[in-house]
């Protein structure tokens, strides 16, 4: 199992229509067949500047690889992520 997580901050004002639109459109990632346990999260810690998080799991490396090249993921990254995300940290985990 691979748990893919990303913490991020948007370029948009908090509570703006643009922020809401981005978050709504990010839900498309849950429709990718290899994605399991998709979650969209709000950051609550004051220890970093990130505002939101996405978390999802994949059964194996093949599922993760399929996600990375899936047309829905590629389009979301190109059309929304790259132009609208100010900063992010991606962490991928496997169980010990």
């Amino acid at each position: 199992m691979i748990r893919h997580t990303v913490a991020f901050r948007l370029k948009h004002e908090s509570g703006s229509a643009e922020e809401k639109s981005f978050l709504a459109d990010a839900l498309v990632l849950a429709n990718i067949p290899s994605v399991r346990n998709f979650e969209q999260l709000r950051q609550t810690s004051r220890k970093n500047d990130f505002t939101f998080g996405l978390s999802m799991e994949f059964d194996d490396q093949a599922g993760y690889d399929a996600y990375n090249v899936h047309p829905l993921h590629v389009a979301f990254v190109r059309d929304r992520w790259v132009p609208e995300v100010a900063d992010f940290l991606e962490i991928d985990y496997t169980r010990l």
Side-chain angles (χ1 to χ4, degrees):
M1 186 277 295
I2 296 172
R3 182 170 298 126
H4 171 64
T5 63
V6 60
F8 62 97
R9 180 172 35 86
L10 294 172
K11 295 177 181 177
H12 309 303
E13 291 293 320
S14 179
S16 68
E18 294 86 1
E19 179 187 80
K20 290 175 185 169
S21 173
F22 179 93
L23 295 172
D25 286 353
L27 297 174
V28 72
L29 301 173
N31 297 329
I32 298 173
S34 61
V35 171
R36 309 280 181 263
N37 301 318
F38 180 88
E39 293 182 300
Q40 196 173 69
L41 308 158
R42 183 175 302 277
Q43 172 65 259
T44 59
S45 173
R46 295 178 191 220
K47 296 178 184 177
N48 66 64
D49 292 331
F50 298 117
T51 312
F52 300 105
L54 298 176
S55 176
M56 62 197 81
E57 296 176 352
F58 303 93
D59 292 337
D60 52 28
Q61 187 65 48
Y64 181 72
D65 293 343
Y67 164 80
N68 276 315
V69 298
H70 192 281
L72 290 174
H73 178 255
V74 170
F76 179 76
V77 169
R78 178 192 64 226
D79 299 339
R80 301 304 302 265
W81 188 268
V82 170
E84 298 180 57
V85 171
D87 194 15
F88 72 96
L89 174 65
E90 181 176 319
I91 303 174
D92 298 314
Y93 300 97
T94 58
R95 290 189 177 111
L96 293 177

